[in-house]
Amino acid sequence: MSKIEPSWDYYRTFLMVLKGGSLSAAARELGLTQPTVGRHVDAMEEILGFPLFTRSPQGLLPTDAARALQPYAETLAATSAALLRAASGQQGTVSGTVRISASEVIGIEVLPPILADLHERYPDLTIELSASDAIEDILRQEADIAVRMAVPGQDALVALHIGPVPLGFHAHRRYLDRCGMPETLADLARHSLIGYDHETAAIRAIIARTPGLPEVRFALKADSNLAQLAAIRAGFGIGICQNALAARDPNILPVLADGFAMKLETWLVMHENLKTAPRCRVVFDALAKGLRTYIRQP
Amino acid sequence: MSKIEPSWDYYRTFLMVLKGGSLSAAARELGLTQPTVGRHVDAMEEILGFPLFTRSPQGLLPTDAARALQPYAETLAATSAALLRAASGQQGTVSGTVRISASEVIGIEVLPPILADLHERYPDLTIELSASDAIEDILRQEADIAVRMAVPGQDALVALHIGPVPLGFHAHRRYLDRCGMPETLADLARHSLIGYDHETAAIRAIIARTPGLPEVRFALKADSNLAQLAAIRAGFGIGICQNALAARDPNILPVLADGFAMKLETWLVMHENLKTAPRCRVVFDALAKGLRTYIRQP
DNA sequence: TCGTTGCTATACTTTTATGTATGAGCAAGA
DNA sequence: TCTTGCTCATACATAAAAGTATAGCAACGA
């Protein structure tokens, strides 16, 4: 009966072995050596009383038990990262690291100038930008601040409604010169359409809200909204993108602007614990101002 | 510029120093020695770059920065405890530890027979019962399963509605023989009343829902519902308690049962991650069955 | 088939962390 | 005033963890 609690460092090592797939990979990642990592795993198995991995010359295969423990280890890693970010901003001045989570399109097309301006005003601020459509959990503080396109749950969160981001069909002038401008939704069926590869919950919601959308076959399927935007810009065909992004390029023209309109409600979300942290307040305010300016433009 | 991440063990030590108030107390708690704990704190301060405590011969006083980091350390501690509980149930059979959070009254008056029966059926199961009116966060997995008297938020939780627990005024026969049985709500003003010390959100909600409640002065104030119950049983006066608890003692009689009725909606809550864990399923089902039986009795 | 490259496991050495013992400072109580 | 009990800090010895080097095994490609 081993009643000794394992070293918390074992959890970190355990997680890296899970993610790296081998003792050696985890050792490289952690700045340790392979025997040390192996010893950590051995010790953890000894204390828990069951094996975590099946060893092989190709690496370590996690057992079901190890997989069951992975989410806990992930939470530990996220929390200690959040602790370090919080510590980075404890110097009184606006300094330290703030991690922002946003969608690919927002993170790459919209945020950079806002962040550049912000960094000019606060040079001691380090920004971690996670531009990914995989949502990071604000409650678990995987990120400090998130730009969300859905109404956030109201648990221990500071949520600010930014407003609607208007979307619409767009195409490059070159494409429209070649293939003509559709007049009705039904016309779309005769065009090169750029769309999604897999139906997500967000997409199903859009389809449900939009009557008269014809049964279409996409000529280009991409789950990445960024790739869809790039395809529109390259003149591949007609696709949906944010109006404000399209308007930046005079050669990108709206298509069926009257017959089809959509908007994405945008929220800025922050963990309640952080609302007194100067580094987060500053970023939150800058994002709110920048995003509001962005959605107001034609 | 120290880019080394601190040992996660430092966070555990840091938290114990915060809670214990001294290096020595933390050392005792952790099974380490005072110099070791001091070295951990020194190392952490060195890496973070700012002091966490001001030393004195009476102990260590946390700085504001240390206090800002405390919630993160608490989360780490709660998560690693949850990890260990999860690990304790990975042996295939129903075994390991399950932590239950419930109010004082439920935890002490209602749960024990349910848990005794459960433990008879599953002797390898260890139950941690946190009988406290301070709610433990299920999302953060401070507890595995909770009995809640409020509608739970719906984020990543398994919530089962148990039903209403009826409440009412009660008093001991001895008291009523001496002071008479009140006939109306207004009569209560002339009696020895047992009530709360501080207004909580739950109490304010009850007051708002109950018109005609006279302005009363309590003869005994106790925030602990358990203490109120004990006072009722001791014949101190008239107080509110769960009808089913009062009915256990033939000498405890309902007062104004017609004029005043209240119920507490009861829920059983579990983290979604745990719904496949056998040890938690078993406890969850047993609690659901036992609590439903409890609220159905006269 | 043979060499290369990845992996783990083990023996050995060195470094690092921990424990032990002790001194000094402060506060409360006889 | 002088204990007693608590604290933290320091010096030193020891135990524990890390790194180093190497051997063995499986897979891949020439």
Side-chain angles (χ1 to χ4, degrees):
Chain A
M1 187 74 180
S2 48
K3 283 222 66 82
I4 318 115
E5 193 188 340
S7 162
W8 287 7
D9 284 336
Y10 294 170
Y11 301 142
R12 172 167 53 184
T13 305
F14 165 68
L15 180 61
M16 292 316 294
V17 174
L18 272 173
K19 296 175 106 162
S22 76
L23 298 181
S24 312
R28 282 191 294 272
E29 197 70 28
L30 289 164
L32 298 174
T33 58
Q34 169 259 318
T36 299
V37 171
R39 282 189 280 253
H40 282 188
V41 173
D42 291 346
M44 193 164 157
E45 289 177 327
E46 171 76 16
I47 295 172
L48 295 185
F50 53 85
L52 292 166
F53 299 94
T54 55
R55 272 77 164 170
S56 84
Q58 297 88 275
L60 274 72
L61 193 75
T63 62
D64 289 347
R67 266 187 283 265
L69 299 185
Q70 180 163 8
Y72 298 91
E74 306 259 22
T75 300
L76 289 174
T79 306
S80 66
L83 186 150
L84 284 179
R85 288 199 303 275
S88 73
Q90 285 301 126
Q91 314 275 28
T93 65
V94 174
S95 63
T97 303
V98 178
R99 182 179 180 85
I100 303 170
S101 165
S103 70
E104 275 192 338
V105 173
I106 293 288
I108 285 158
E109 296 285 338
V110 181
L111 295 192
I114 300 173
L115 299 178
D117 178 59
L118 181 69
H119 186 255
E120 210 165 307
R121 278 184 293 150
Y122 303 101
D124 292 339
L125 213 55
T126 304
I127 303 291
E128 283 181 26
L129 175 58
S130 167
S132 158
D133 294 342
I135 45 159
E136 303 201 347
D137 196 332
I138 290 290
L139 271 176
R140 282 175 53 183
Q141 295 196 219
E142 289 168 351
D144 297 318
I145 298 176
V147 183
R148 284 284 158 78
M149 299 319 213
V151 183
Q154 62 277 52
D155 293 298
L157 291 180
V158 180
L160 179 69
H161 185 226
I162 297 295
V165 170
L167 303 185
F169 287 111
H170 292 85
H172 195 281
R173 187 188 305 274
R174 186 152 25 89
Y175 172 84
L176 294 172
D177 287 350
R178 183 155 50 88
C179 303
M181 172 71 86
E183 301 292 327
T184 67
L185 273 173
D187 287 350
L188 287 178
R190 290 192 300 274
H191 279 269
S192 293
L193 294 183
I194 300 163
Y196 50 84
D197 196 3
H198 301 287
E199 270 194 12
T200 65
I203 290 170
R204 274 189 292 273
I206 293 173
I207 294 173
R209 275 204 307 272
T210 312
L213 209 60
E215 190 76 25
V216 293
R217 249 221 335 260
F218 295 123
L220 173 64
K221 293 180 174 186
D223 280 335
S224 162
N225 292 314
L226 212 49
Q228 295 180 21
L229 181 60
I232 294 171
R233 285 174 172 158
F236 183 99
I238 300 174
I240 295 175
C241 73
Q242 302 186 11
N243 295 354
L245 293 179
R248 288 177 181 174
D249 183 343
N251 289 313
I252 305 290
L253 302 177
V255 172
L256 293 170
D258 309 326
F260 178 83
M262 240 199 60
K263 54 189 202 296
L264 238 39
E265 286 302 335
T266 307
W267 296 76
L268 201 54
V269 183
M270 175 167 66
H271 197 285
E272 201 170 35
N273 289 356
L274 299 175
K275 73 180 170 199
T276 55
R279 72 189 208 289
C280 290
R281 266 247 70 86
V282 158
V283 175
F284 194 86
D285 293 345
L287 287 179
K289 184 152 166 284
L291 286 170
R292 286 209 160 121
T293 307
Y294 167 71
I295 67 170
R296 294 226 196 300
Q297 64 195 33
Chain B
M1 187 74 180
S2 48
K3 283 225 67 82
I4 318 114
E5 194 187 341
S7 161
W8 286 9
D9 285 336
Y10 293 169
Y11 300 143
R12 171 167 54 182
T13 305
F14 164 68
L15 179 61
M16 292 316 293
V17 174
L18 272 173
K19 296 176 107 163
S22 77
L23 300 181
S24 314
R28 281 190 295 272
E29 197 70 28
L30 290 165
L32 299 174
T33 57
Q34 169 259 319
T36 300
V37 171
R39 283 188 281 253
H40 283 188
V41 174
D42 290 346
M44 194 165 157
E45 289 177 327
E46 171 74 19
I47 295 172
L48 295 185
F50 53 84
L52 292 166
F53 299 93
T54 55
R55 271 79 165 170
S56 87
Q58 294 88 274
L60 274 72
L61 192 75
T63 61
D64 289 347
R67 266 187 283 267
L69 300 185
Q70 180 163 7
Y72 298 91
E74 305 259 22
T75 301
L76 289 174
T79 306
S80 65
L83 185 151
L84 285 178
R85 288 198 303 276
S88 72
Q90 286 301 126
Q91 314 275 29
T93 66
V94 174
S95 64
T97 304
V98 178
R99 182 179 180 85
I100 302 172
S101 165
S103 71
E104 276 192 338
V105 173
I106 294 288
I108 285 158
E109 296 286 339
V110 182
L111 295 192
I114 300 173
L115 299 179
D117 178 59
L118 182 69
H119 186 253
E120 210 165 309
R121 277 184 293 149
Y122 303 100
D124 292 340
L125 212 54
T126 303
I127 303 290
E128 282 182 26
L129 175 58
S130 168
S132 158
D133 294 343
I135 45 158
E136 302 201 348
D137 195 333
I138 289 291
L139 271 175
R140 280 174 55 184
Q141 294 195 220
E142 288 167 352
D144 297 319
I145 297 177
V147 183
R148 284 286 158 79
M149 300 317 213
V151 182
Q154 62 277 52
D155 292 299
L157 292 180
V158 180
L160 180 68
H161 185 226
I162 297 294
V165 171
L167 302 185
F169 287 110
H170 292 85
H172 195 280
R173 188 187 304 273
R174 186 153 26 89
Y175 172 84
L176 293 173
D177 288 347
R178 184 156 50 89
C179 302
M181 171 70 86
E183 300 293 327
T184 67
L185 273 174
D187 288 350
L188 287 178
R190 292 191 299 274
H191 279 268
S192 292
L193 295 184
I194 301 163
Y196 49 84
D197 195 2
H198 301 286
E199 270 194 13
T200 65
I203 290 170
R204 274 189 293 273
I206 293 172
I207 294 172
R209 274 204 308 271
T210 312
L213 209 58
E215 190 75 24
V216 293
R217 250 220 335 259
F218 296 124
L220 175 64
K221 293 180 173 184
D223 280 337
S224 161
N225 293 315
L226 211 48
Q228 295 180 22
L229 181 60
I232 294 171
R233 286 174 172 157
F236 183 98
I238 300 174
I240 295 175
C241 73
Q242 302 186 10
N243 296 354
L245 293 181
R248 287 177 182 174
D249 183 343
N251 290 313
I252 305 290
L253 302 177
V255 172
L256 293 171
D258 308 326
F260 178 83
M262 241 199 60
K263 54 190 203 296
L264 237 40
E265 287 301 335
T266 306
W267 296 74
L268 201 55
V269 184
M270 176 167 65
H271 197 286
E272 202 169 36
N273 290 356
L274 299 174
K275 72 180 172 198
T276 55
R279 75 191 205 288
C280 290
R281 266 247 72 87
V282 158
V283 175
F284 193 87
D285 294 345
L287 287 179
K289 184 152 167 283
L291 286 170
R292 286 207 160 122
T293 306
Y294 167 73
I295 68 170
R296 292 223 200 303
Q297 67 195 34

